[in-house]
Coordinates of all heavy atoms in Angstrom, one line a residue:
D39 N -108.5 222.8 -6.9 CA -107.2 223.4 -6.9 C -107.0 224.3 -8.1 O -107.9 224.3 -9.0 CB -106.1 222.4 -6.7 CG -105.9 221.4 -7.9 OD1 -106.4 221.7 -9.0 OD2 -105.3 220.4 -7.7
Q40 N -105.9 225.0 -8.2 CA -105.7 225.9 -9.3 C -105.4 225.1 -10.6 O -105.7 225.6 -11.7 CB -104.5 226.8 -9.0 CG -104.8 227.9 -8.0 CD -106.0 228.7 -8.6 OE1 -105.9 229.3 -9.7 NE2 -107.1 228.9 -7.8
G41 N -104.9 223.9 -10.5 CA -104.8 223.1 -11.7 C -106.1 222.8 -12.4 O -106.3 223.0 -13.6
I42 N -107.1 222.4 -11.6 CA -108.5 222.2 -12.1 C -109.1 223.5 -12.5 O -109.9 223.5 -13.5 CB -109.3 221.4 -11.0 CG1 -108.8 220.0 -10.9 CG2 -110.8 221.5 -11.3 CD1 -109.1 219.2 -12.1
T45 N -108.9 224.2 -16.1 CA -109.5 223.3 -17.1 C -111.0 223.7 -17.3 O -111.5 224.5 -16.5 CB -109.5 221.8 -16.6 OG1 -110.4 221.7 -15.5 CG2 -108.1 221.4 -16.1
I47 N -113.4 222.0 -16.6 CA -114.2 221.2 -15.7 C -115.0 222.2 -14.8 O -116.2 222.0 -14.6 CB -113.4 220.2 -14.9 CG1 -112.7 219.2 -15.8 CG2 -114.2 219.6 -13.8 CD1 -111.7 218.3 -15.2
P70 N -101.1 220.4 -4.1 CA -100.7 219.0 -4.0 C -100.2 218.6 -2.6 O -99.6 219.5 -2.0 CB -99.6 218.9 -5.1 CG -99.8 220.0 -6.0 CD -100.4 221.1 -5.2
D71 N -100.5 217.4 -2.2 CA -100.1 216.9 -0.9 C -100.6 217.9 0.2 O -99.9 218.6 0.8 CB -98.6 216.8 -0.8 CG -98.1 215.8 -1.8 OD1 -98.8 214.8 -2.1 OD2 -97.0 216.0 -2.3
P72 N -102.0 218.0 0.3 CA -102.6 219.1 1.1 C -102.1 219.2 2.5 O -101.9 218.2 3.2 CB -104.1 218.8 1.0 CG -104.1 217.4 0.7 CD -102.9 217.0 -0.1
G96 N -111.5 217.0 -8.2 CA -110.1 217.0 -8.4 C -109.5 215.7 -8.2 O -110.1 214.6 -8.1
G97 N -108.1 215.7 -8.0 CA -107.4 214.5 -7.7 C -107.4 214.2 -6.2 O -108.1 214.8 -5.5
G98 N -106.5 213.3 -5.9 CA -106.5 212.8 -4.5 C -106.2 214.0 -3.5 O -106.7 213.9 -2.4
S99 N -105.4 214.9 -3.9 CA -105.1 216.0 -3.0 C -106.4 216.8 -2.6 O -106.6 217.1 -1.4 CB -104.1 217.0 -3.7 OG -102.9 216.3 -4.0
T100 N -107.2 217.1 -3.6 CA -108.5 217.8 -3.3 C -109.4 216.9 -2.6 O -110.1 217.4 -1.6 CB -109.1 218.3 -4.7 OG1 -108.2 219.3 -5.2 CG2 -110.4 218.9 -4.4
D102 N -108.8 214.3 -0.6 CA -108.3 214.2 0.8 C -108.6 215.4 1.6 O -109.0 215.4 2.8 CB -106.8 213.9 0.8 CG -106.5 212.4 0.5 OD1 -107.4 211.7 0.1 OD2 -105.4 212.0 0.8
K105 N -112.2 215.7 2.4 CA -112.6 214.8 3.5 C -112.2 215.3 4.8 O -112.9 215.2 5.8 CB -112.0 213.4 3.2 CG -112.7 212.6 2.1 CD -111.9 211.5 1.5 CE -111.9 210.2 2.3 NZ -111.0 209.2 1.6
T138 N -111.1 213.6 -10.7 CA -110.7 214.0 -12.0 C -109.3 213.3 -12.4 O -108.8 213.6 -13.5 CB -110.6 215.5 -12.2 OG1 -109.6 216.0 -11.3 CG2 -111.9 216.2 -11.9
T139 N -108.7 212.6 -11.5 CA -107.6 211.7 -11.8 C -108.1 210.3 -11.6 O -109.1 210.1 -10.9 CB -106.4 211.9 -10.9 OG1 -106.7 211.6 -9.5 CG2 -105.8 213.4 -11.0
T142 N -105.9 207.7 -6.8 CA -105.9 207.5 -5.3 C -107.0 206.6 -4.8 O -106.9 205.9 -3.8 CB -105.9 208.8 -4.6 OG1 -107.2 209.4 -4.7 CG2 -104.8 209.7 -5.0
G143 N -108.2 206.7 -5.4 CA -109.3 206.0 -4.9 C -109.9 206.6 -3.7 O -110.7 206.1 -3.0
S144 N -109.4 207.8 -3.4 CA -109.8 208.5 -2.2 C -111.4 208.7 -2.1 O -111.9 208.7 -1.0 CB -109.2 209.9 -2.1 OG -109.6 210.6 -1.0
S147 N -112.4 205.6 -0.4 CA -111.5 205.0 0.7 C -111.7 205.6 2.0 O -112.4 206.7 2.1 CB -110.0 205.1 0.3 OG -109.5 206.3 0.8
W149 N -109.2 206.6 3.9 CA -108.0 207.3 4.3 C -107.9 208.8 3.8 O -108.5 209.1 2.8 CB -106.7 206.6 3.7 CG -106.6 205.2 4.3 CD1 -106.9 204.0 3.7 CD2 -106.0 204.9 5.6 NE1 -106.6 203.0 4.6 CE2 -106.1 203.5 5.7 CE3 -105.5 205.7 6.7 CZ2 -105.6 202.8 6.9 CZ3 -105.0 205.0 7.8 CH2 -105.1 203.6 7.9
I150 N -107.2 209.6 4.5 CA -106.8 210.9 4.0 C -105.3 211.0 4.3 O -104.8 210.4 5.3 CB -107.5 212.1 4.5 CG1 -107.4 212.2 6.0 CG2 -109.0 212.0 4.1 CD1 -108.1 213.5 6.5
V151 N -104.5 211.7 3.5 CA -103.1 211.9 3.8 C -102.9 213.4 3.8 O -103.1 214.1 2.9 CB -102.2 211.2 2.7 CG1 -100.8 211.3 3.1 CG2 -102.6 209.8 2.4
K160 N -95.9 213.5 6.1 CA -97.2 213.2 5.6 C -97.9 212.2 6.6 O -97.2 211.2 6.9 CB -97.2 212.6 4.2 CG -96.8 213.6 3.1 CD -96.9 213.0 1.7 CE -98.2 213.0 1.1 NZ -98.2 212.7 -0.3
L179 N -114.3 213.5 -17.4 CA -113.6 214.5 -16.7 C -112.1 214.2 -16.6 O -111.3 215.1 -16.2 CB -114.1 214.6 -15.3 CG -115.6 215.0 -15.1 CD1 -116.0 215.1 -13.6 CD2 -115.9 216.3 -15.8
T180 N -111.7 213.0 -17.0 CA -110.3 212.7 -17.0 C -109.6 212.8 -18.4 O -108.4 212.5 -18.5 CB -110.0 211.3 -16.4 OG1 -110.6 210.3 -17.3 CG2 -110.7 211.1 -15.0
G182 N -108.7 215.3 -20.2 CA -107.6 216.3 -20.4 C -106.4 216.1 -19.4 O -105.5 216.9 -19.4
L183 N -106.4 215.0 -18.7 CA -105.3 214.8 -17.7 C -104.0 214.6 -18.5 O -103.9 213.7 -19.3 CB -105.7 213.5 -16.9 CG -104.9 213.3 -15.6 CD1 -105.1 214.4 -14.6 CD2 -105.4 212.0 -15.0
P184 N -103.0 215.4 -18.2 CA -101.7 215.2 -19.0 C -101.1 213.8 -18.8 O -101.3 213.2 -17.8 CB -100.8 216.3 -18.4 CG -101.7 217.3 -17.7 CD -102.9 216.5 -17.3
I187 N -99.2 212.8 -15.6 CA -100.1 212.7 -14.4 C -101.0 211.4 -14.6 O -101.2 210.7 -13.6 CB -101.0 213.9 -14.2 CG1 -100.1 215.2 -14.1 CG2 -101.8 213.8 -12.9 CD1 -100.9 216.5 -13.9
T191 N -100.6 208.6 -11.7 CA -101.8 208.2 -10.9 C -102.3 206.8 -11.2 O -102.7 206.1 -10.3 CB -103.0 209.2 -11.2 OG1 -103.1 209.4 -12.6 CG2 -102.7 210.6 -10.6
D194 N -100.3 204.4 -9.3 CA -100.7 204.4 -7.9 C -101.8 203.3 -7.7 O -101.8 202.6 -6.7 CB -101.3 205.8 -7.5 CG -101.6 206.0 -6.1 OD1 -101.0 205.3 -5.2 OD2 -102.4 206.9 -5.7
H198 N -101.7 200.3 -5.1 CA -102.8 200.0 -4.2 C -103.1 198.5 -4.3 O -103.3 197.8 -3.3 CB -104.0 200.8 -4.4 CG -103.8 202.3 -4.1 ND1 -104.6 203.3 -4.7 CD2 -102.8 202.9 -3.4 CE1 -104.1 204.4 -4.3 NE2 -103.1 204.2 -3.5
L254 N -108.3 199.6 -0.1 CA -107.5 200.3 1.0 C -108.2 200.2 2.3 O -107.5 200.2 3.4 CB -107.3 201.7 0.6 CG -106.4 202.0 -0.6 CD1 -106.2 203.5 -0.8 CD2 -105.1 201.3 -0.4
H263 N -96.0 202.3 0.1 CA -96.6 203.6 0.3 C -95.9 204.3 1.5 O -95.8 205.6 1.4 CB -98.1 203.4 0.6 CG -99.0 203.6 -0.6 ND1 -98.9 202.7 -1.6 CD2 -99.8 204.6 -0.9 CE1 -99.8 203.2 -2.6 NE2 -100.3 204.3 -2.2
H267 N -94.6 207.9 0.7 CA -95.0 209.1 1.5 C -93.8 210.0 1.9 O -93.8 211.2 1.7 CB -95.8 208.8 2.8 CG -97.2 208.2 2.5 ND1 -97.8 207.4 3.4 CD2 -98.0 208.3 1.5 CE1 -99.0 207.0 2.9 NE2 -99.1 207.6 1.7
H277 N -97.4 211.7 -5.7 CA -97.6 210.5 -4.9 C -97.5 209.2 -5.8 O -96.8 208.3 -5.4 CB -99.0 210.6 -4.3 CG -99.4 209.3 -3.7 ND1 -98.9 208.9 -2.4 CD2 -100.2 208.3 -4.1 CE1 -99.5 207.8 -2.1 NE2 -100.2 207.4 -3.1
G278 N -98.2 209.2 -6.9 CA -98.2 207.9 -7.7 C -96.8 207.6 -8.2 O -96.4 206.4 -8.2
Ligands
LIG1 N1 -107.1 208.9 0.4 C1 -106.4 207.9 -0.1 O1 -106.7 206.8 0.1 C2 -105.1 208.2 -0.8 C3 -104.5 207.2 -1.5 C4 -103.3 207.5 -2.3 C5 -102.9 208.8 -2.3 N2 -103.5 209.8 -1.6 C6 -103.1 211.2 -1.7 O2 -103.6 211.8 -2.9 C7 -102.7 212.9 -3.3 C8 -102.3 212.7 -4.8 O3 -103.5 212.7 -5.6 P1 -103.4 212.6 -7.2 O4 -102.3 211.6 -7.5 O5 -104.7 212.3 -7.7 O6 -102.8 214.0 -7.6 P2 -103.3 215.6 -7.3 O7 -104.7 215.6 -6.7 O8 -102.2 216.2 -6.5 O9 -103.4 216.2 -8.8 C9 -102.2 216.3 -9.5 C10 -102.3 217.5 -10.5 O10 -103.2 217.1 -11.5 C11 -104.1 218.2 -11.8 N3 -105.4 217.6 -12.3 C12 -106.2 216.8 -11.7 N4 -107.2 216.4 -12.5 C13 -107.0 217.0 -13.7 C14 -107.6 216.9 -15.0 N5 -108.7 216.2 -15.2 N6 -107.1 217.6 -16.0 C15 -106.0 218.4 -15.8 N7 -105.3 218.4 -14.6 C16 -105.8 217.7 -13.6 C17 -104.3 218.8 -10.5 O11 -104.8 220.2 -10.6 C18 -102.9 218.8 -9.9 O12 -102.1 219.9 -10.4 C19 -101.5 212.8 -2.4 O13 -101.6 213.8 -1.4 C20 -101.6 211.4 -1.8 O14 -100.9 211.3 -0.6 C21 -104.6 209.5 -0.9

Side-chain angles (χ1 to χ4, degrees):
D39 66 18
Q40 283 302 306
I42 287 293
T45 71
I47 295 172
D71 303 324
S99 298
T100 295
D102 279 10
K105 283 159 81 179
T138 61
T139 62
T142 68
S144 180
S147 92
W149 295 100
I150 59 175
V151 186
K160 289 181 84 169
L179 301 181
T180 65
L183 196 61
I187 306 180
T191 49
D194 191 21
H198 293 159
L254 292 182
H263 265 67
H267 289 157
H277 172 78

